[in-house]
């Protein structure tokens, strides 16, 4: 089948991405299967990992988050986000043909066969495993514990009105991993950070789902955006409010100071700005707001890291 332009196959892809310009033509459908040209996904998977590593550094009195752990989380986030997307597309290949935004993805469009997708899934999972094995035994076990949730998520949209909750359980798992990697255990600050991260994921993915409301109704796909309906701004606002309500005590229990809490305040202001801008009828705006969560998350990570640095001076 002839190579399709990236803009046609994935309308929300980053235009001019290296995967569409420089990668060999035979590899491009597989890179799209992993959503390489949509880096926002791995950023959003990575950020709770980095938050957790930074919160552990705050609690442990370290001058910065463990750089080796942060690098491992980066590699693991790219690999496992790609594996998750590949698995999701394998499960959803029939549903994706009914949604305008997804029908040109590599599997439903025939650019990649099922056997090739399964092989590619295995390779990405292997990279994720190699990364995980660099951590301590408790962190390894914690990482493996997430696999059941990841496996369950693609099926939830068929019968559960809030599949974003299950996505949150999976995508926020990194909020446990940084702490587990640092201390070989979990404690209340990490659990609260995880709860806050889940609420954050539900909020931003509700915004993302606004792009597909009409097609989802036709295909019978359930989502939080459809569940909240005309009250989607209130729904996202509640999710973001819960995120802050859980994260604030996590910071306090970990011994965070003024700089970290200032960062949490800026993070909250960014989330409030998103809520104020939501427009159910504007899918392009929804995508921009969704993507802006990378910046919100980096603000929070930078503030915690700065807190550590200033304490070490």
């Amino acid at each position: 089948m002839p190579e399709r332009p990236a803009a046609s196959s994935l309308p929300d892809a980053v235009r001019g991405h290296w995967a569409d310009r420089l990668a060999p033509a035979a590899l491009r459908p597989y890179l799209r299967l992993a959503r390489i040209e949509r880096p926002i996904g791995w950023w959003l998977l990575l950020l709770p990992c980095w938050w957790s590593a930074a919160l552990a550094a705050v609690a442990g009195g370290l001058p910065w988050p463990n750089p080796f752990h942060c690098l491992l989380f980066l590699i693991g986030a790219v690999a496992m986000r790609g594996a998750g997307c590949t698995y999701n597309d394998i499960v959803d290949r029939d549903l994706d043909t009914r949604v305008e935004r997804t029908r040109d993805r590599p599997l439903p469009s025939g650019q990649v066969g099922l056997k090739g997708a399964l092989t590619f899934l295995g390779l990405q999972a292997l990279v994720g495993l190699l990364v995980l094995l660099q951590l301590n035994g408790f962190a390894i076990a914690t990482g493996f514990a997430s696999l059941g949730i990841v496996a369950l998520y693609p099926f939830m949209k068929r019968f559960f009105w809030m599949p974003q909750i299950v996505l949150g359980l999976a995508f926020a798992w990194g909020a446990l991993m940084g702490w587990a990697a640092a201390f070989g255990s979990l404690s209340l600050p990490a659990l609260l950070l995880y709860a806050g991260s889940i609420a954050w994921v539900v909020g931003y993915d509700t915004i993302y789902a606004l792009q597909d409301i009409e097609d989802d109704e036709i295909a019978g796909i359930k989502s939080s955006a459809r569940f909240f309906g005309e009250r989607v701004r209130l729904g996202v606002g509640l999710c973001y409010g819960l995120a802050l309500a859980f994260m604030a005590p996590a910071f306090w229990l970990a011994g965070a100071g003024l700089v970290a809490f200032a960062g949490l305040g800026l993070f909250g202001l960014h989330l409030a700005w998103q809520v104020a801008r939501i427009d159910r009828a504007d899918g392009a705006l929804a995508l921009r707001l969704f993507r802006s969560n990378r910046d919100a998350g980096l603000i929070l990570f930078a503030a915690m890291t700065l807190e550590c640095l200033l304490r070490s001076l």
Side-chain angles (χ1 to χ4, degrees), residues 3-292:
E3 177 74 3
R4 300 186 184 204
S8 172
S9 58
L10 289 173
D12 51 353
V14 173
R15 296 185 182 277
H17 193 273
W18 66 263
D20 294 311
R21 294 183 294 104
L22 303 176
L27 292 181
R28 291 178 191 177
Y30 290 95
L31 294 175
R32 292 180 195 150
L33 194 61
R35 313 287 201 274
I36 290 297
E37 81 290 14
R38 294 164 61 190
I40 184 59
W42 61 256
W43 269 114
L44 295 176
L45 185 61
L46 171 65
L47 283 165
C49 301
W50 279 4
W51 293 347
S52 186
L55 193 65
V58 170
L62 301 176
W64 46 68
N66 187 305
F68 181 58
H69 289 170
C70 288
L71 176 61
L72 288 175
F73 292 144
L74 171 59
I75 298 169
V78 175
M80 294 312 296
R81 187 276 187 128
C85 289
T86 302
Y87 171 69
N88 187 80
D89 282 8
I90 290 171
V91 174
D92 283 352
R93 60 191 184 277
D94 295 328
L95 282 178
D96 282 346
T97 62
R98 307 180 207 169
V99 177
E100 176 66 28
R101 188 177 56 83
T102 60
R103 64 172 52 117
D104 284 334
R105 284 177 175 172
L107 265 170
S109 67
Q111 298 173 65
V112 173
L114 181 58
K115 183 178 179 180
L118 288 169
T119 301
F120 187 51
L121 171 61
L123 291 173
Q124 293 173 99
L126 178 60
V127 174
L129 175 62
L130 292 175
V131 168
L132 188 61
L133 291 178
Q134 308 309 306
L135 304 175
N136 63 59
F138 183 84
I140 292 172
T142 302
F144 272 112
S146 69
L147 294 180
I149 299 170
V150 173
L152 182 64
Y153 167 67
F155 300 98
M156 301 305 293
K157 68 188 74 172
R158 291 161 168 81
F159 59 88
F160 182 42
W161 272 106
M162 291 284 288
Q164 278 73 17
I165 293 176
V166 183
L167 178 70
L169 292 170
F171 247 66
W173 200 263
L176 303 175
M177 292 301 299
W179 192 280
F183 296 122
S185 63
L186 290 175
S187 54
L188 189 54
L191 297 175
L192 289 169
L193 182 66
Y194 177 55
S197 299
I198 293 170
W200 178 59
V201 174
V202 175
Y204 72 58
D205 203 64
T206 298
I207 295 175
Y208 184 78
L210 290 173
Q211 299 174 90
D212 297 330
I213 282 184
E214 293 182 1
D215 284 336
D216 284 351
E217 289 176 353
I218 294 171
I221 298 172
K222 295 176 172 58
S223 74
S224 52
R226 289 187 63 202
F227 177 79
F228 289 131
E230 296 293 336
R231 297 181 178 178
V232 68
R233 183 176 291 168
L234 174 62
V236 174
L238 288 173
C239 290
Y240 283 167
L242 280 174
L244 295 170
F246 282 118
M247 289 180 181
F251 276 38
W252 181 72
L253 289 171
L258 182 61
V259 174
F261 273 101
L264 185 62
L266 291 174
F267 177 72
L269 287 174
H270 196 293
L271 301 186
W273 169 79
Q274 292 179 43
V275 172
R277 294 288 311 280
I278 289 175
D279 181 352
R280 288 184 78 246
D282 192 338
L285 174 61
L287 179 60
R288 291 196 298 273
L289 294 176
F290 165 75
R291 285 176 169 168
S292 74

Side-chain angles (χ1 to χ4, degrees), residues 61-64 259 305-313:
L62 301 176
W64 46 68
V259 174
T305 301
L306 181 59
E307 173 91 27
C308 293
L309 287 170
L310 291 176
R311 286 184 177 187
S312 68
L313 296 178

